[in-house]
Amino acid sequence: MELAEGFIICNASMKEKILKEARTIKNYIFLTQEELHKRLTFSLKPNAIFQLMKHYGFSYSLSQEYANAVSKLEDKNYSNPKLDSMVSVLHYLKENQLIEEDPLFLFRLKQFPVTFIDPLPTKEYFSLKKLTEQYTKVYEVYPQDKSYIPFVYEFKTILEETLFVMNQIKELLRKGVSLNDIYIVHTDEEYRFLLKRLSRSYGIPIEFDGYKNLLSASLIKQFLEACKTLPDFQSVLNQLDSKNILYPILVDILNENEVLNEKPLECLEFLKAVLKNKKFPQKKYIEAVQFEGESVLFDETDYVFYVGFNLGNSPKISKEEGFLNDKDLLLLNLSTSYEKNEIEYNRLKAWILATPHLTLTYKRYVKTESFLPSLLIEDMKLDVVKNPKLPFGYAKLEDELRLVGLYDLYLKYGQWHEDLEEYGIAEAKYKSYDHSYKPLPLETMQKHFELKPLRLAYSNVKLYFACPFSYYADRILGLNEFKPQMAARMGTFSHAVLEDSYSESFNFLESVAKHKSENALESRDEFFFDQMTSVLRNLLEFNFQHEQMSQLKTIEREAHVEVVKDTYTFEGYIDKLMYTIQDDAVYAAIVDYKTGADIVSLDNIEDGFHLQLPSYMYLLSKYPPFAGLKLHIIGLYLQKVNIVIFDHKSDVEAQMAKKFMLEGYSVASPKLISMLDPTYEKSTYIKSLGVGKDGFLRYSKVFLESQQEEIITMVEGLLEQASDSIHQGIFPIEPKKINGKNASCTFCKYKDICYYEYEDLKELTYKPFGKGGDEHGMD
C-alpha cells in the first residue's frame, strides 16, 4: 500500500507488513495510538507506580489503575468523587515531577502528516484524531475488503479440538509448509496447557511464552530477604550471584523502575508485584509454530488456526467492571463496554474475512461445563463440520492414550468403539503405570543442599517418617502453597496475645486490639476473633492462678533453640518455658499452645511418630542457658486454645477450666511434679494425672525420670537417620500402617499425586509408651 511519508500509526504486525512490502526506503516514523497519545499529552515516569504506592498506601494493582486512568482525564473539577480523586492523584504526579511531556514532539509533528492504519471507530480514536488535526494533516487508510471463507469445525471436547489442530499442522509440515508460516490464535491457559503436552508428543516445536512469576526462583527469594535488612540496593546486589541468569533481569528491573536510590524495605511490596508478573527467560526456536493475537494481518503464505471460537470468547465480551465503569466513561467521553462490544464484533468479523487459510474450531464441553458456538457463525452463514473423525498415526503416544480411554469406556460401561476393532490396544501399555519414586542422583541432592543447607524442625521430620514422599513433595519440590486461612490467622493472634501476657507492661485490651488488627482481615472474622478474645481472657486467668501455686517462677516465651550439626540444623520455638534453678540443677516444664486438635501420645516414637513432645525435650537439653546444669524435665504439655462450646446445664467456668488443662506427659515423681502442680494428686491443672493409694492412676500420662535421656538419645538418632536419608535422596512412597490403620495418608496434602498402592504400605508394630514408675507407679 502506498503511504505518505511521515508518522504511521499502527500496531506491530502492520508495521512489519509495511516494512516488508516497501520497495524503496521511506521516511516512516511508526507509533501506536497509545504512543501517539502520550507524545501529545504526557506519560508517567518509570517510578510513578512505586511513588503512588508509597505516598497513598495503594496496592500495586490499584496504583496501576490510577496510572492508566489519569491519562484519560482533564485537569478540572468533574463534581464526581471518583474522578475528582483521580484528578488529585494527577496533581500529585505533576507536583512531584512524575510526569514527562515531550514539547519538541509538536514541532516534529507539524513537519509531517499522520496516517492512521485501519483504526477502530472508538471515541478514544476520534478524540486522538481531533487532537492530532490541530497540528498536522491526518490521513486514514483502510485495507481493501476481502471475503475469504474459513473452515469451521465443531468438537465435543477441548482435547479433540487440540488433537485436530495438531493433526492438521502435521499434514501441513508433510506438504512442505514452514513452521514459521503456521500460527495458532486466541489461546488461553487451558489451550496452552494441552498444546504444551501435544507439542512434545507430536514433535512439533511451538514458541511458548516464558512462565510468569519470578518469585519462586531461589535468587529472587534471596534478593527479597536481603531487602528486609540491608540499607541500600548496592548492598543487596552484592549478596547475590552475579553469574545467575536472573541477575541481569533483576538489575534491569531496578534501573527501569528508577528505585536504586530508594530504601529496599520500602520497595519490597512493589518489587514483589513486578517480579510476579515478570517472565522467566525462554529459549527461542529458529523455526516454530507461533502464537499470535487476533489483530495480526496474515499473508497468503500463512496458515492460521483460531481455537476456542465459542460464544462469550469470540469476540471477547467487555464487561462493565474495573476501575472506571460505564458512567465514568460517559463523563470522560470514552467508549463504554457495550460500544466496545459492538466494535469488537465487527472487527473480528472483518478480520475473519481478511485472513486466508483460516481454520476456526470450537468445543462443546470441558468436563461438566457446556459451551455454545460464536454468534458470528450464524451471522456470517458459515458451514460447520461437526465432530470430524480424528485419524490415528500422527503421534504414537496420543494414539495409545485415546485407545486405552476408549477401552476404559468399554470395560466400565460396555460402550464399544469401532476404533478399538480397527487398531486394538495390544501395543499400548495399559495399566502399566509405574508410580514408584525414582531416586534422584546423589549429585543433584548434593547440589541442592550446597545451595540450601538442610534445616529440620519437628514438622518436617514428622512428614519424613510418616511418608518420605510427602517430605519430598513438600520440602524438596516446594509444593506446599501457603494460604493464610482464618484458622491460621486466629492461631497467630492467640499466640501473640499469650506471648505478650508475660511482659511487665502487658495490657490485655491493647494487645488484643493490636494483634486483631493484624490478623482479622475480613468483616466476617470479627465474630470468631471476639469469641477467641473471651477465651484468651479466661485462659490467662486460669494460667495465672496455677502459675501462682507453681515453684517454676521463671517464664520464657518463644524460646528459640537451634542445634547445629555437620549435615543439618534442627531448630524449634518453645511457646512457654517454665523453670527454676536450684543447686546447679534446672527444673523445667514446657507448654506449647495449640489451636486445633492434636493427638497427645508417645506411642511408636521410635518409628518417628508423635515426636512433637520428645522434640521439645531434646531441644531443652541443648538450650544454651542451661549448659553445665543438671536438667530435670518435669513435664511436656500442649495447651489447647480453642473456641469453647459450653453445655449450659452445668457450670460454665468449670467446663472452661477443664478445656484449658494441660495435656501431655509428666515425670512420675511426686517430689518433682509437685513443683509444677501442687494439686497433682487430683490435678486441676494437668489432664490425665492423678494418684491413688498404689501410685499414679492407670490413666495418668507419665514417664520415668530415668527415661529422659533415653528419649533425648532416641530423638537425636531419628534426626540423624532422617538427615542421612534426605541427603541420599531416599523418598519412597511408603505410608505407615499401625494397628491396622493407615497412620500417614489421612491428612496428607499429596495423596492425590503419589498413587500409592496397598503394597506400598509399611506395617509397623504397635508400640505403646510405657506407663512409667516402679510397682507403685512412681520414682
Side-chain angles (χ1 to χ4, degrees):
M1 69 181 69
E2 288 296 325
L3 301 172
E5 292 187 312
F7 290 96
I8 309 297
I9 313 304
C10 62
N11 59 30
S13 172
M14 179 58 74
K15 172 184 174 181
E16 187 177 336
K17 187 178 179 66
I18 292 169
L19 292 174
K20 190 186 294 184
E21 292 177 354
R23 293 173 185 158
T24 58
I25 297 176
K26 299 280 188 178
N27 186 18
Y28 290 149
I29 307 155
F30 289 96
L31 295 173
T32 64
Q33 282 192 31
E34 184 180 359
E35 289 169 341
L36 176 61
H37 183 266
K38 287 180 178 178
R39 296 287 186 90
L40 287 169
T41 55
F42 63 84
S43 61
L44 299 186
K45 288 187 176 180
N47 66 337
I49 300 289
F50 168 69
Q51 294 299 339
L52 288 177
M53 291 177 68
K54 183 178 176 181
H55 181 73
Y56 289 100
F58 291 162
S59 67
Y60 178 80
S61 58
L62 184 58
S63 298
Q64 280 191 314
E65 293 273 17
Y66 268 96
N68 292 332
V70 293
S71 65
K72 302 176 175 67
L73 296 171
E74 295 179 55
D75 191 348
K76 69 177 187 180
N77 182 9
Y78 285 92
S79 298
N80 176 289
K82 184 196 292 184
L83 298 184
D84 289 336
S85 75
M86 291 162 55
V87 172
S88 69
V89 171
L90 178 60
H91 289 164
Y92 166 77
L93 293 168
K94 287 182 176 179
E95 290 164 5
N96 289 274
Q97 300 179 344
L98 295 170
I99 277 177
E100 289 182 317
E101 295 178 338
D102 188 358
L104 294 177
F105 178 74
L106 298 179
F107 293 103
R108 293 187 66 204
L109 189 62
K110 291 174 182 178
Q111 300 173 32
F112 300 101
V114 171
T115 303
F116 289 93
I117 307 292
D118 196 19
L120 293 177
T122 63
K123 288 179 181 176
E124 289 86 340
Y125 165 66
F126 291 124
S127 174
L128 180 62
K129 177 186 174 185
K130 185 178 179 181
L131 181 60
T132 308
E133 287 174 330
Q134 297 177 20
Y135 303 99
T136 190
K137 190 170 184 59
V138 170
Y139 299 103
E140 294 175 310
V141 174
Y142 294 92
Q144 292 181 346
D145 289 338
K146 296 179 182 177
S147 55
Y148 292 110
I149 304 299
F151 298 98
V152 187
Y153 296 91
E154 175 186 291
F155 297 91
K156 285 184 180 178
T157 67
I158 188 173
L159 176 59
E160 290 176 354
E161 182 184 1
T162 48
L163 283 170
F164 172 81
V165 169
M166 295 301 285
N167 287 352
Q168 292 295 303
I169 292 174
K170 200 80 171 181
E171 276 299 317
L172 290 173
L173 296 178
R174 287 178 180 177
K175 292 176 182 177
V177 175
S178 169
L179 281 165
N180 290 337
D181 292 332
I182 302 173
Y183 299 88
I184 302 175
V185 173
H186 190 250
T187 54
D188 58 20
E189 286 302 316
E190 198 158 17
Y191 280 102
R192 294 199 179 207
F193 177 80
L194 277 171
L195 288 167
K196 186 161 283 190
R197 187 192 93 192
L198 297 179
S199 172
R200 292 190 292 266
S201 299
Y202 278 77
I204 297 174
I206 298 177
E207 196 75 76
F208 292 96
D209 289 338
Y211 288 109
K212 281 186 178 180
N213 196 349
L214 295 184
L215 293 179
S216 59
S218 58
L219 181 87
I220 302 302
K221 289 179 180 178
Q222 186 183 351
F223 166 75
L224 295 174
E225 280 301 312
C227 286
K228 295 177 182 178
T229 55
L230 296 178
D232 56 72
F233 278 113
Q234 191 55 57
S235 302
V236 172
L237 292 172
N238 289 341
Q239 300 288 315
L240 307 180
D241 178 10
S242 60
K243 295 179 182 178
N244 189 294
I245 191 172
L246 297 180
Y247 183 86
I249 295 176
L250 200 51
V251 173
D252 287 345
I253 287 172
L254 296 175
N255 283 319
E256 288 166 7
N257 292 283
E258 297 181 355
V259 294
L260 275 171
N261 294 325
E262 302 286 344
K263 294 178 181 178
L265 184 59
E266 293 181 355
C267 300
L268 200 58
E269 293 308 312
F270 170 75
L271 291 171
K272 282 181 182 178
V274 172
L275 290 162
K276 187 175 182 180
N277 291 290
K278 193 74 175 176
K279 293 177 181 177
F280 278 90
Q282 192 78 353
K283 290 182 180 179
K284 297 290 183 182
Y285 292 104
I286 296 173
E287 277 196 292
V289 175
Q290 306 288 320
F291 289 114
E292 284 291 359
E294 302 160 30
S295 59
V296 175
L297 292 178
F298 294 99
D299 296 324
E300 289 285 349
T301 56
D302 297 328
Y303 291 82
V304 183
F305 295 91
Y306 185 116
V307 296
F309 195 64
N310 288 95
L311 181 67
N313 281 322
S314 302
K316 187 73 175 176
I317 302 297
S318 294
K319 298 178 182 177
E320 186 182 2
E321 59 186 12
F323 195 61
L324 296 174
N325 58 35
D326 281 348
K327 288 182 180 179
D328 300 327
L329 294 171
L330 282 170
L331 284 172
L332 295 171
N333 194 33
L334 301 174
S335 297
T336 60
S337 59
Y338 52 86
E339 290 171 332
K340 290 175 185 174
N341 287 334
E342 184 178 358
I343 292 167
E344 180 60 20
Y345 187 91
N346 293 324
R347 184 206 65 78
L348 181 57
K349 185 176 180 179
W351 179 84
I352 289 171
L353 293 173
T355 305
H357 307 307
L358 174 64
T359 300
L360 305 174
T361 64
Y362 64 91
K363 74 275 183 184
R364 295 307 300 263
Y365 302 98
V366 175
K367 298 177 182 176
T368 57
E369 189 177 1
S370 60
F371 293 82
L372 295 172
S374 170
L375 293 176
L376 280 164
I377 293 176
E378 185 177 344
D379 183 8
M380 298 175 69
K381 297 180 173 55
L382 301 176
D383 293 327
V384 179
V385 178
K386 296 190 176 183
N387 300 315
K389 185 176 176 63
L390 293 174
F392 291 82
Y394 290 100
K396 186 174 184 295
L397 177 60
E398 297 302 326
D399 289 348
E400 290 177 352
L401 287 171
R402 286 169 60 195
L403 289 169
V404 297
L406 294 173
Y407 189 57
D408 269 339
L409 289 175
Y410 170 67
L411 293 179
K412 292 175 182 176
Y413 308 110
Q415 297 177 9
W416 181 255
H417 196 284
E418 60 184 13
D419 287 341
L420 289 171
E421 188 169 343
E422 185 173 351
Y423 299 101
I425 63 164
E427 294 185 13
K429 296 176 181 178
Y430 185 65
K431 285 192 174 180
S432 62
Y433 173 67
D434 181 7
H435 73 289
S436 61
Y437 166 75
K438 305 298 184 297
L440 293 171
L442 283 177
E443 301 79 34
T444 302
M445 297 306 299
Q446 288 169 1
K447 187 174 181 181
H448 175 83
F449 289 116
E450 281 174 9
L451 298 171
K452 189 177 182 182
L454 179 61
R455 297 188 73 86
L456 296 175
Y458 154 71
S459 57
N460 49 43
V461 174
K462 170 187 173 183
L463 265 183
Y464 188 82
F465 284 110
C467 177
F469 183 80
S470 64
Y471 177 92
Y472 172 68
D474 196 271
R475 305 294 163 148
I476 303 298
L477 297 182
L479 304 180
N480 53 333
E481 181 184 5
F482 173 73
K483 294 183 179 179
Q485 298 173 342
M486 189 182 73
R489 289 187 278 110
M490 200 180 298
T492 303
F493 164 71
S494 304
H495 274 71
V497 174
L498 289 166
E499 183 182 346
D500 287 352
S501 69
Y502 292 97
S503 65
E504 291 183 4
S505 59
F506 174 66
N507 180 294
F508 179 75
L509 293 178
E510 288 179 3
S511 177
V512 165
K514 176 180 183 293
H515 299 299
K516 186 177 177 183
S517 67
E518 295 169 353
N519 293 283
L521 304 180
E522 302 173 15
S523 57
R524 62 182 179 179
D525 294 349
E526 289 291 327
F527 171 79
F528 296 101
F529 276 80
D530 287 344
Q531 294 295 308
M532 183 59 83
T533 298
S534 176
V535 169
L536 291 171
R537 188 190 300 276
N538 287 283
L539 174 59
L540 291 174
E541 178 62 27
F542 174 86
N543 284 346
F544 178 76
Q545 289 177 5
H546 286 280
E547 287 161 8
Q548 288 293 99
M549 296 186 286
S550 171
Q551 296 178 44
L552 310 184
K553 296 299 185 183
T554 305
I555 297 177
E556 289 188 25
R557 62 259 201 231
E558 290 295 312
H560 180 223
V561 188
E562 189 174 75
V563 183
V564 180
K565 298 284 188 176
D566 290 339
T567 57
Y568 69 91
T569 297
F570 182 70
E571 67 176 339
Y573 288 84
I574 299 171
D575 286 344
K576 182 164 74 171
L577 171 60
M578 307 169 66
Y579 69 92
T580 187
I581 299 176
Q582 299 177 9
D583 301 325
D584 294 328
V586 179
Y587 300 87
I590 290 171
V591 179
D592 187 63
Y593 303 125
K594 282 295 173 186
T595 50
D598 271 63
I599 298 172
V600 180
S601 172
L602 292 181
D603 298 343
N604 284 83
I605 57 172
E606 52 263 67
D607 296 310
F609 281 82
H610 308 301
L611 277 181
Q612 183 172 14
L613 296 178
S615 293
Y616 287 133
M617 187 179 280
Y618 172 73
L619 287 169
L620 199 56
S621 73
K622 306 294 183 182
Y623 192 40
F626 296 166
L629 302 176
K630 181 171 176 55
L631 178 63
H632 299 277
I633 298 177
I634 293 173
L636 306 155
Y637 308 103
L638 303 181
Q639 187 170 44
K640 303 293 181 65
V641 188
N642 294 316
I643 294 173
V644 182
I645 300 174
F646 300 112
D647 175 5
H648 291 282
K649 294 179 182 179
S650 57
D651 183 67
V652 170
E653 288 188 7
Q655 291 180 67
M656 187 172 286
K658 189 175 180 181
K659 294 287 185 183
F660 295 153
M661 291 178 74
L662 306 183
E663 299 180 41
Y665 284 79
S666 308
V667 66
S669 166
K671 179 183 175 182
L672 294 179
I673 192 63
S674 64
M675 295 179 74
L676 171 67
D677 179 18
T679 72
Y680 75 94
E681 292 185 348
K682 194 175 181 180
S683 183
T684 59
Y685 191 25
I686 302 167
K687 191 177 287 188
S688 301
L689 184 63
V691 176
K693 63 179 181 178
D694 297 323
F696 284 98
L697 298 174
R698 286 185 60 196
Y699 61 76
S700 297
K701 292 181 180 291
V702 293
F703 63 90
L704 288 171
E705 186 170 23
S706 59
Q707 290 178 293
Q708 176 178 305
E709 285 305 317
E710 180 186 334
I711 293 171
I712 290 170
T713 302
M714 185 185 298
V715 171
E716 190 161 36
L718 289 167
L719 294 177
E720 293 289 344
Q721 180 185 333
S723 171
D724 289 346
S725 298
I726 291 167
H727 276 96
Q728 292 177 52
I730 300 174
F731 305 114
I733 297 171
E734 193 178 71
K736 310 302 188 299
K737 189 176 180 182
I738 303 173
N739 250 359
K741 292 183 179 179
N742 186 326
S744 303
C745 300
T746 306
F747 300 108
C748 179
K749 295 183 290 185
Y750 308 108
K751 59 186 177 184
D752 290 336
I753 63 172
C754 78
Y755 301 103
Y756 86 89
E757 295 178 355
Y758 181 79
E759 293 78 14
D760 298 318
L761 280 167
K762 182 177 180 180
E763 185 86 38
L764 297 179
T765 304
Y766 175 54
K767 301 162 188 170
F769 184 74
K771 296 297 181 183
D774 59 13
E775 59 182 355
H776 301 295
M778 299 186 183
D779 273 354

